[in-house]
Amino acid sequence: MQADLTTAHTWWDAAGPATPGDLKAARAQMGFSLAWHIILACLGVGLPLLTLTAEWIGVRTGQPSYQLLARRWARAMGVLFAVGAVSGTILSFEMGLLWPGLMGRYGQVIGLPFAMEGIAFFIEAIFLGIYLYAWDRLPPRIHLLTGVPIVIAGIASAFFVVCANAWMNQPRGFTMRAGQVVDVDPLAAMLNPASPPQTVHMILAALMVAGFLTAGVYAVALLRGRNDSYHRAGFLIPFVLAAVVTPFQLVVGDWAARFLAEFQPTKLAAMEGVFSTSSHVPLTLAGIARDGHLRYGIEVPNGLSLLVGYSPNTVVEGLDQVPVSEHPPVTITHLAFDTMVGMGMFLLFLGVWMLLAWSRTRRVGDGDVLGRRASRLFLMLCSMSGVAAVIAMEAGWTVTEEGRQPWVVWGLMNVRDAVNPAPGLMVGLWLVLGVYAAMTVATVYVLRRLSREQPVPLAPQERDVSSYPVV
């Protein structure tokens, strides 16, 4: 075994670093794969909860519209789970093929969350099969309970995967001795200081993406005049869930920013475009980094110092604390952060609008949202909320990954030292782009076919739920 490891290290050293072109291709391939997969991952976390909520209301009230919604969403959930399994498998191969330097050195440290995610995936797959195929074979209450593990497993999958990413930001659980990783503690590595803010932030983001995306579909239907109980329920359930989550997400985002101020000040400096360490640091909206300054932005005096330490005298570390070679790309990180916050405020505004409408009329979703014209404008904005949530989530991950550059493991391993030194990575990028293009077309086609089908007839036990206990 030791001989094999020695041979592997000898090959690695002889291969030399990857070319700049291959490094860019590897980063582009991994970035695109993650950006594509994460949308399905968010739906995998949020859609089961929406489906169970619709089914639960249907069981309680006996209204067919909720039961039909649950059936429709469950079928879409099955399609998205299958496609997500494919894209997730691609990502698992990419981790080993594109980044052997990372996995070869630190694989034993971060293997636990990936193993736990695999267990959660199989639990989700098993109960999803039961949930889909036992609908007409179980009483409503029992069938509803079979969906609970799907929700738990989906959230657990997100938790474990994000823990692995959090470790890359705050590596823990091992000791470096003579250039070798020893004394590995996988649990300490998984539960590193970055895990709490990152996992909570991601899970709430997933619920927002699933809720606003689903609500956006039914908002379009309501705009087209389909103002029946089925479409109103299809809009209200996901929108209310996402709107309730949004203010909590903003609080968690503030928590994450304060975490960065303590543990990753360089990333926070890139997010806010702070080049010089000082107090009374303004909060800058927009702007482009040029010549060591953030230019063309709108400054809020003392804003960043107040947000970080509740005082204008709070000192905020700038990029001058690290060598220029360790500076993250400031412009893209800063603009991505501003985009995330801007989209979050837009979604919060929609939630407040809904709350005001409900407090005024107690009749949200039936065409009366602060007046007919305001109702139409509200639904038009809601039809864009799903796209806004996806943009916010993608921008947030851009901040997380770009803000860590040039490190793949914060302070320990540079990205260029982790990439596969073999030539031809650009070919793999084009092949993966082709695969994802085909999966995108196939997924959209299948989901459109499902949306055009007539609603599935209710099972006999769903037509009369009075004989079953209320859940």
Side-chain angles (χ1 to χ4, degrees), residues 38-51 77 80-81 124 150-159 162 199 202-211 241:
I38 198 171
I39 299 175
L40 296 183
C42 289
L43 292 171
V45 172
L47 194 55
L49 180 59
L50 296 176
T51 304
M77 187 168 63
L80 295 172
F81 179 85
E124 186 177 5
I150 304 175
V151 177
I152 297 174
I155 295 175
S157 293
F159 173 82
V162 177
T199 53
M202 183 63 234
I203 291 170
L204 294 182
L207 295 176
M208 289 175 63
V209 168
L241 171 68

Side-chain angles (χ1 to χ4, degrees), residues 70-106:
R71 280 180 174 265
R72 276 270 177 87
W73 290 348
R75 297 176 70 186
M77 187 168 63
V79 172
L80 295 172
F81 179 85
V83 179
V86 175
S87 61
T89 302
I90 293 174
L91 278 170
S92 66
F93 278 105
E94 287 177 340
M95 286 292 293
L97 294 175
L98 296 179
W99 312 105
L102 169 65
M103 301 308 294
R105 174 169 293 183
Y106 297 110

Side-chain angles (χ1 to χ4, degrees), residues 340-419:
M340 178 186 66
V341 174
M343 293 296 102
M345 297 305 295
F346 167 69
L347 298 172
L348 178 65
F349 165 74
L350 292 180
V352 172
W353 190 339
M354 170 74 88
L355 178 62
L356 291 175
W358 178 82
S359 65
R360 175 179 178 270
T361 66
R362 300 297 196 272
R363 292 164 53 197
V364 175
D366 60 356
D368 186 3
V369 184
L370 297 182
R372 181 172 298 178
R373 291 184 179 179
S375 173
R376 187 164 185 83
L377 175 61
F378 174 75
L379 290 174
M380 289 176 63
L381 294 176
C382 288
S383 68
M384 297 183 288
S385 64
V387 176
V390 170
I391 292 174
M393 182 265 300
E394 299 284 11
W397 270 107
T398 300
V399 171
T400 299
E401 298 303 301
E402 291 292 341
R404 192 177 62 241
Q405 299 302 310
W407 304 105
V408 65
V409 180
W410 182 262
L412 295 178
M413 176 175 280
N414 197 288
V415 173
R416 66 173 177 269
D417 297 326
V419 71

Side-chain angles (χ1 to χ4, degrees), residues 42 108-109 132 148 156 173 180 185 194 200 250 268 277 295 303 325 329 380 384 410 420 440 446 452 470:
C42 289
Q108 59 182 317
V109 183
L132 290 175
V148 174
Q180 300 295 317
D185 185 347
V200 176
L250 296 179
L268 180 64
T277 302
R295 303 185 184 277
S325 60
M380 289 176 63
M384 297 183 288
W410 182 262
N420 193 332
T440 301
V446 172
R452 291 174 179 174
V470 176

